[in-house]
Amino acid sequence: MSDDRTADLQNLSIDRSERPRSKWRILVWMVLLAAIGGASFIGYFVYFVDDTLQVSSTLAVSAARDSQTESVLDATGFVVARRQASVSSKVPGKVTSVLIEEGMRVEEGQLLATLDDSITRAQLALAQSQLEATRSQLSELKLRYEQATLDSERNGRLAEEGLISANELEQSQLSRETLQSAINVSAENVAVSERTVELQEKYVADMEIRAPFAGIVISKTAQPGEMIAPVAGGGGFTRTGICTIVDMDSLEVQIDVNESYINRVQPGQQVTVQLTAYPDVRMPAEVIAIIPTADRARSTVKVRVGFKQRDDRVLPDMAVKVSFLEEGEIAEMQEVPTGVVVPMSAIDTVGGNNQVWVIKDDVVGSRRVRLGDEVENDSVQILDGLRSGERVVTRLSPELKRGLVDGRAVTTI
């Protein structure tokens, strides 16, 4: 009985003889998995992450760099018009028509606008009528004078024959002299009437606003129906001008030169002017005058520069870059190359499109560009798509092109 009970207890007990072997097996598998993971991690960074490509590179340089002229001073300024006018009327009036628009070229004396001239024309008609009346009066007096002259001559003959008295002769002579005085007064009245008519004609002419000189209309400031006057009035509802005209032949450049460098500028000195808006050309100019006063607040001296040859794109108030040339240099009209220059080996042609590989923060990226002319030293001009100072990959070979992809890390050699 006791033996059976002992056997049952042994069957219920846990056999721990195999436990250590299972622990070692798990531990071995864990070590193997860790080794495989570490090898994979190292392989990933060796073969994939640390995929840095060594390339040759250069900086894109401005195409205009080689065309620069030696200068003693570079400055900035603005184009101004020496001859500019806000055209108004001589007298107040209501605008009936405006015959110009902005950008229109007008000639000297050309009609720009008209004012309401109904009253002035009526006054002119009245003055003309008065003139005709005085002329008619003068004609009548002249006829009466001729009759008085005939009467006086006839009475003189009759007096010599004793047929009339001396008193009658004197009366006829006095009458003739009276008419002569009346003729003189009437002639003066005619002259006054003529001047009155001329004055009224000028008043009518003043109702027509004409260009004082040839130029370009840059602003239109009045419309039909508005009141216009030489001086503002009416609480701000009266215009003071019809338009503003600029004589483009009077354009020049004004520059504020620092006092420290004004000794480098001389009257008659040759200058090149380059428009900021159109940097593809340098125009010849020369110093007209150095204004003999300084700006106390800014410590500058104003210099006037006149164009020797001007581009039609030059407009008032445009910003310009000015280079004062050395003594003996002659300023000439010069075309300035645009864009940048890079070696031909930096151009990658793919599917008929030209591109370059730009390096930024040690990462390369493709950029489509538009090519210009070839230049010396086996280089090419890029008109669009690349800026001066950007770094590009050079010495592109078929093997290197296959390895270049957007976003790949590179090192330069």
Side-chain angles (χ1 to χ4, degrees):
M1 184 70 179
S2 59
D3 293 337
D4 294 337
R5 192 175 288 176
T6 301
D8 291 336
L9 291 172
Q10 289 177 350
N11 290 332
L12 292 173
S13 64
I14 297 174
D15 187 6
R16 298 179 183 276
S17 59
E18 296 298 330
R19 188 74 175 174
R21 182 179 299 175
S22 177
K23 286 183 177 180
W24 283 105
R25 183 176 299 169
I26 293 172
L27 183 60
V28 170
W29 278 107
M30 290 179 64
V31 171
L32 288 175
L33 289 174
I36 293 172
S40 300
F41 184 82
I42 294 172
Y44 174 80
F45 276 93
V46 170
Y47 293 101
F48 296 96
V49 177
D50 191 21
D51 192 19
T52 303
L53 185 66
Q54 291 186 338
V55 296
S56 299
S57 66
T58 189
L59 292 175
V61 298
S62 173
R65 186 183 65 175
D66 296 334
S67 65
Q68 293 180 351
T69 306
E70 292 294 332
S71 62
V72 296
L73 178 65
D74 294 327
T76 58
F78 294 92
V79 178
V80 298
R82 296 289 294 178
R83 199 178 186 192
Q84 177 174 323
S86 179
V87 184
S88 183
S89 62
K90 294 181 181 180
V91 295
K94 181 180 179 181
V95 179
T96 56
S97 64
V98 180
L99 308 177
I100 45 87
E101 295 292 341
E102 291 89 344
M104 180 183 297
R105 179 169 185 85
V106 295
E107 300 298 330
E108 181 177 356
Q110 181 175 333
L111 183 62
L112 305 178
T114 59
L115 304 181
D116 183 7
D117 60 355
S118 57
I119 295 178
T120 53
R121 286 194 178 278
Q123 292 174 339
L124 174 61
L126 176 61
Q128 290 173 339
S129 298
Q130 291 175 342
L131 174 61
E132 291 300 323
T134 54
R135 285 175 175 172
S136 298
Q137 185 181 8
L138 178 60
S139 298
E140 180 184 357
L141 289 173
K142 288 181 178 180
L143 291 174
R144 291 173 60 187
Y145 177 77
E146 291 178 0
Q147 182 62 44
T149 301
L150 293 175
D151 292 343
S152 177
E153 292 175 352
R154 183 171 55 254
N155 289 337
R157 290 192 298 272
L158 293 175
E160 290 176 356
E161 295 175 359
L163 299 177
I164 63 173
S165 65
N167 186 36
E168 290 178 339
L169 176 61
E170 291 176 354
Q171 288 292 334
S172 63
Q173 292 177 344
L174 181 61
S175 176
R176 187 183 68 173
E177 292 176 357
T178 301
L179 288 174
Q180 180 64 53
S181 298
I183 289 174
N184 294 336
V185 172
S186 182
E188 292 294 332
N189 290 335
V190 169
V192 170
S193 297
E194 289 175 345
R195 292 189 180 94
T196 302
V197 170
E198 292 176 359
L199 182 61
Q200 293 300 327
E201 288 175 344
K202 288 182 179 179
Y203 285 155
V204 172
D206 288 342
M207 298 295 105
E208 296 180 343
I209 303 174
R210 298 183 179 274
F213 51 81
I216 302 294
V217 178
I218 63 172
S219 67
K220 176 182 174 183
T221 54
Q223 297 291 342
E226 293 184 314
M227 292 298 296
I228 189 173
V231 180
F237 296 101
T238 302
R239 300 287 186 180
T240 58
I242 287 290
C243 64
T244 300
I245 299 177
V246 171
D247 181 5
M248 291 300 180
D249 294 332
S250 70
L251 294 181
E252 64 180 38
V253 176
Q254 286 190 359
I255 310 155
D256 291 326
V257 178
N258 191 283
E259 291 179 359
S260 303
Y261 305 109
I262 194 62
N263 60 336
R264 303 182 185 181
V265 181
Q266 302 294 331
Q269 185 174 359
Q270 296 292 292
V271 176
T272 61
V273 178
Q274 188 174 8
L275 296 175
T276 303
Y278 302 103
D280 57 342
V281 63
R282 293 193 184 100
M283 287 164 282
E286 62 181 1
V287 176
I288 299 175
I290 301 173
I291 308 302
T293 185
D295 189 324
R296 180 184 303 179
R298 301 170 58 189
S299 298
T300 58
V301 177
K302 192 179 296 295
V303 176
R304 291 177 53 202
V305 172
F307 290 97
K308 295 168 58 180
Q309 190 175 354
R310 180 174 56 85
D311 195 297
D312 291 337
R313 295 174 292 183
V314 179
L315 302 176
D317 297 327
M318 272 189 165
V320 296
K321 298 177 181 178
V322 178
S323 296
F324 295 88
L325 304 185
E326 295 180 348
E327 185 177 357
E329 293 285 341
I330 301 299
E332 296 178 350
M333 184 70 75
Q334 182 181 10
E335 295 290 335
V336 180
T338 58
V340 297
V341 174
V342 298
M344 284 290 297
S345 61
I347 306 301
D348 184 13
T349 303
V350 179
N353 297 317
N354 297 308
Q355 66 179 18
V356 295
W357 293 92
V358 181
I359 301 173
K360 184 178 181 181
D361 298 331
D362 296 328
V363 175
V364 73
S366 61
R367 179 103 49 92
R368 185 171 293 183
V369 295
R370 183 166 61 94
L371 301 184
D373 299 329
E374 294 186 12
V375 297
E376 57 184 7
N377 299 327
D378 197 24
S379 299
V380 65
Q381 180 185 9
I382 294 181
L383 302 177
D384 190 22
L386 192 64
R387 297 189 301 272
S388 177
E390 291 188 300
R391 185 171 293 276
V392 296
V393 178
T394 60
R395 300 180 184 178
L396 293 175
S397 63
E399 295 78 9
L400 182 58
K401 292 179 182 179
R402 286 193 292 268
L404 289 173
V405 292
D406 290 331
R408 185 169 183 178
V410 295
T411 59
T412 59
I413 55 174

